[in-house]
């Protein structure tokens, strides 16, 4: 029993790990909000910073903050006033001139704490000056240095505004598609086998794998729609990848309808095997080629960079890759149960 | 048997309606605590999706079992 179903046990172990690690590892501390967002040169300003997952009070005396302009010029905060773990006030004395040749510029805010590590809010704050004096500006801004930044907690997922905690959906929404692709891939394999041997068993395997793959595809679409609602603003944004998966799922739903249209078992099996091969041949360009050719909201498509770099760090990989394996194994488990039901039904029909 | 399963499907639908209602009532519930409930919703959808597929297979198996009994 254990020798036969070791991969089912493996699936359960991996999925338990995925859910535990995926839900319990905290997000990296981040900056949730900064007000005001527009500063005037030559004034003393007070920035109110709201943190996310941050521990300002714990590192009260070791907190540092800088405004950073292009070309690595920084201005250190004159005074930092911690209200609680999530809020602090930064006081900056802005020089009269900016190290910039235009009246408007943007700067990043960088916080550093031995507990939270260094946190960057990129280009989030607008700076304006009344008159331009590049040389004087460079001189005024070259007093402070930014050095010895802290590394911060190691075991964290990236903090991304807009995504926030929903970055964890990477372990639940994305692997469903991996599972679907693998299930459909194996079903094509059995379709080819059916056409070569006319073994009804291969046809039953194809049907079961397609059923499971279709269920996973539908779940992927629905979970994607929920995630999209809270990151892109709508359940369905008519994004190219959303549309193409909808087309792909319609093609596969036609597979099941096609099967229902035949009385003769052999004709049914043969035609659906041929159709299944064409369906998979359509699936690959629909999911992997067309979305890359135009702009898409999905990462890794069109003008959008792939889910990588800061979106997928090593801690995330530690959960994401096992999650892909775990959900795929679960897909095959579901398919194998569907296959056994199909097999039993066929045996009863033949008897 | 069939009634058992139908009632289960009904309960699941009611649950989903309740969830949708709770969402409407408290506006930004899914956005609270850094969108964590979006992840919870996704996991629940996957769970119930797979459970519904299991119910479908279960009903099929029941039919087959009844057929086997008749044959005997």
């Amino acid at each position: 029993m254990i020798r036969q179903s070791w991969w089912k046990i493996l699936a359960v172990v991996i999925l338990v790990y995925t859910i535990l690690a995926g839900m319990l590892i905290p997000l990296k501390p981040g900056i949730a909000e900064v007000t005001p967002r527009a500063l005037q040169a030559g004034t003393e300003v007070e920035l109110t910073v709201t943190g996310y997952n941050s521990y300002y009070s714990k590192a009260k005396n070791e907190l540092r903050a800088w405004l950073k302009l292009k070309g690595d010029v920084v201005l250190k905060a004159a005074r930092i006033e911690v209200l609680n773990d999530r809020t602090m006030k930064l006081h900056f004395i802005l020089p009269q001139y900016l190290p910039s040749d235009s009246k408007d510029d943007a700067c990043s805010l960088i916080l550093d704490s031995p507990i939270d590590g260094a946190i960057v809010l990129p280009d989030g704050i607008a700076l304006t000056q009344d008159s331009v004096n590049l040389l004087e500006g460079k001189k005024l801004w070259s007093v402070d240095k930014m050095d010895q930044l802290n590394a911060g907690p190691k075991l964290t997922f990236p903090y991304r505004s807009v995504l926030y905690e929903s970055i964890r959906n990477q372990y639940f929404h994305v692997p469903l598609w991996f599972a679907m692709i693998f299930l459909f891939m194996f079903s094509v394999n059995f379709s080819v086998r059916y056409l070569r041997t006319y073994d009804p068993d291969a046809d039953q395997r194809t049907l079961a794998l397609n059923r499971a793959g279709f269920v996973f595809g539908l779940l992927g679409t629905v979970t994607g729609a929920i995630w999209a609602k809270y990151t892109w603003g709508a359940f369905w944004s008519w994004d190219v990848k959303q549309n193409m998966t909808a087309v792909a799922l319609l093609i596969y739903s036609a597979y099941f309808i096609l099967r229902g249209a035949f009385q003769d078992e052999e004709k049914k099996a043969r035609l659906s095997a041929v159709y299944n091969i064409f369906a998979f041949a359509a699936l690959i360009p629909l999911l992997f080629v067309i979305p890359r050719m135009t702009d898409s909201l999905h990462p890794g498509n069109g003008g959008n960079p792939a889910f990588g770099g800061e979106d997928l760090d090593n801690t995330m990989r530690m959960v994401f890759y096992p999650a892909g394996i775990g959900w795929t194994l679960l897909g095959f488990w579901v398919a194998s149960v569907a296959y056994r039901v199909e097999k039993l039904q066929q045996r009863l029909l033949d008897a | 048997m069939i009634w058992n399963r139908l009632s289960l499907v009904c309960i699941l639908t009611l649950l989903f309606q309740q969830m949708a209602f709770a969402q409407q009532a408290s506006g930004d519930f899914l956005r609270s605590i850094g969108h964590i409930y979006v992840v919870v919703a996704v996991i629940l959808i996957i769970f119930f999706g797979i459970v519904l597929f299991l119910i479908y297979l279960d009903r099929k198996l029941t039919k087959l079992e009844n057929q086997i009994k008749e044959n005997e």
Side-chain angles (χ1 to χ4, degrees):
Chain A
M1 156 88 181
I2 285 182
R3 198 179 297 167
Q4 267 179 8
S5 40
W6 62 271
W7 58 279
K8 295 172 192 168
I9 297 165
L10 186 67
V12 172
V13 170
I14 293 177
L15 287 178
V16 167
Y17 164 76
T18 301
I19 292 170
L20 286 181
M23 295 304 273
L24 291 179
I25 292 175
L27 290 196
K28 200 174 170 352
I31 299 171
E33 214 184 321
V34 176
T35 47
R37 287 276 186 149
L39 310 176
Q40 171 73 36
T43 57
E44 191 182 335
V45 290
E46 186 191 76
L47 290 180
T48 309
V49 177
T50 315
Y52 190 89
N53 274 0
S54 57
Y55 294 96
Y56 297 149
S57 329
K58 275 191 191 165
K60 216 172 205 163
N61 302 318
E62 289 152 292
L63 285 172
R64 294 178 301 166
W66 296 272
L67 291 178
K68 182 174 168 292
L69 272 145
K70 276 188 292 284
D72 278 337
V73 279
V74 292
L75 178 76
K76 200 174 177 184
R79 196 157 56 84
I80 295 174
E81 197 184 325
V82 175
L83 302 181
N84 53 48
D85 273 338
R86 300 280 183 272
T87 345
M88 65 174 159
K89 289 186 190 298
L90 307 174
H91 295 264
F92 286 98
I93 302 160
L94 292 170
Q96 190 68 42
Y97 301 106
L98 302 176
S100 159
D101 51 10
S102 74
K103 285 193 174 177
D104 305 295
D105 209 340
C107 66
S108 318
L109 176 69
I110 295 166
L111 303 177
D112 183 59
S113 139
I115 290 170
D116 299 337
I119 300 164
V120 185
L121 179 78
D123 288 328
I125 297 163
L127 285 172
T128 45
Q129 57 182 355
D130 290 333
S131 53
V132 178
N133 189 334
L134 187 59
L135 273 178
E136 192 64 24
K138 274 188 177 160
K139 206 185 288 171
L140 287 167
W141 279 72
S142 60
V143 181
D144 294 322
K145 288 272 176 295
M146 190 168 65
D147 52 2
Q148 288 173 328
L149 292 176
N150 288 294
K154 281 237 168 59
L155 202 66
T156 51
F157 296 143
Y159 171 86
R160 316 293 286 161
S161 63
V162 182
L163 281 177
Y164 308 109
E165 304 280 353
S166 79
I167 199 166
R168 299 170 197 277
N169 277 342
Q170 175 85 354
Y171 320 125
F172 306 108
H173 163 76
V174 185
L176 290 178
W177 297 108
F178 287 10
M180 186 195 81
I181 291 291
F182 280 116
L183 288 164
F184 284 164
M185 211 185 271
F186 272 70
S187 96
V188 168
N189 173 41
F190 284 115
S191 280
V192 173
R193 184 179 295 181
Y194 178 81
L195 290 175
R196 288 168 70 169
T197 60
Y198 293 119
D199 177 9
D201 179 69
D203 178 56
Q204 288 148 17
R205 282 177 198 268
T206 309
L207 176 60
L209 284 163
N210 271 352
R211 276 204 177 125
F214 191 71
V215 168
F216 274 64
L218 278 182
L219 289 175
T221 312
V222 177
T223 55
I226 292 273
W227 196 7
K229 170 74 181 162
Y230 294 93
T231 40
W232 302 337
F235 286 113
W236 200 266
S237 321
W238 300 103
D239 174 65
V240 60
K241 202 160 196 176
Q242 286 180 325
N243 293 340
M244 293 306 128
T245 45
V247 171
L249 286 179
L250 281 176
I251 289 174
Y252 271 90
S253 69
Y255 170 86
F256 303 110
I257 296 166
L258 181 77
R259 288 187 73 92
F262 292 101
Q263 287 293 319
D264 179 40
E265 287 296 322
E266 212 185 300
K267 206 185 237 175
K268 180 198 279 186
R270 209 181 306 168
L271 270 160
S272 62
V274 173
Y275 182 86
N276 189 43
I277 293 169
F278 280 109
F280 190 73
L283 181 77
I284 297 304
L286 282 172
L287 294 192
F288 299 111
V289 181
I290 297 171
R292 273 160 219 263
M293 289 164 69
T294 54
D295 280 342
S296 169
L297 293 162
H298 275 90
N301 297 296
N304 216 344
F307 220 91
E310 280 188 54
D311 284 332
L312 183 68
D313 67 355
N314 285 332
T315 317
M316 283 192 81
R317 285 199 177 88
M318 230 170 62
V319 185
F320 179 52
Y321 294 150
I325 297 168
W327 288 107
T328 304
L329 286 177
L330 186 76
F332 278 92
W333 189 353
V334 168
S336 79
V337 176
Y339 160 72
R340 280 149 74 186
V341 172
E342 202 54 43
K343 189 93 189 152
L344 196 61
Q345 191 169 28
Q346 212 54 49
R347 192 175 290 174
L348 278 174
L349 278 179
D350 293 344
Chain B
M1 277 301 237
I2 282 267
W3 289 113
N4 271 345
R5 248 138 247 149
L6 274 179
S7 61
L8 193 58
V9 174
C10 285
I11 288 168
L12 285 178
T13 355
L14 275 175
L15 208 82
F16 272 120
Q17 277 176 348
Q18 283 287 312
M19 272 168 62
F21 181 72
Q23 219 175 299
Q24 281 172 353
S26 59
D28 265 6
F29 173 68
L30 268 87
R31 282 198 176 81
S32 61
I33 326 181
H35 295 193
I36 187 67
Y37 291 106
V38 177
V39 187
V40 174
V42 162
I43 294 176
L44 283 179
I45 286 169
I46 298 172
F47 177 75
F48 284 119
I50 292 173
V51 165
L52 281 176
F53 190 63
L54 278 178
I55 291 172
Y56 160 78
L57 288 179
D58 188 314
R59 292 177 68 168
K60 249 185 157 180
L61 274 175
T62 314
K63 257 186 228 159
L64 294 179
E65 277 168 353
N66 290 341
Q67 239 175 324
I68 291 171
K69 258 182 219 156
E70 272 171 32
N71 285 358
E72 280 167 358

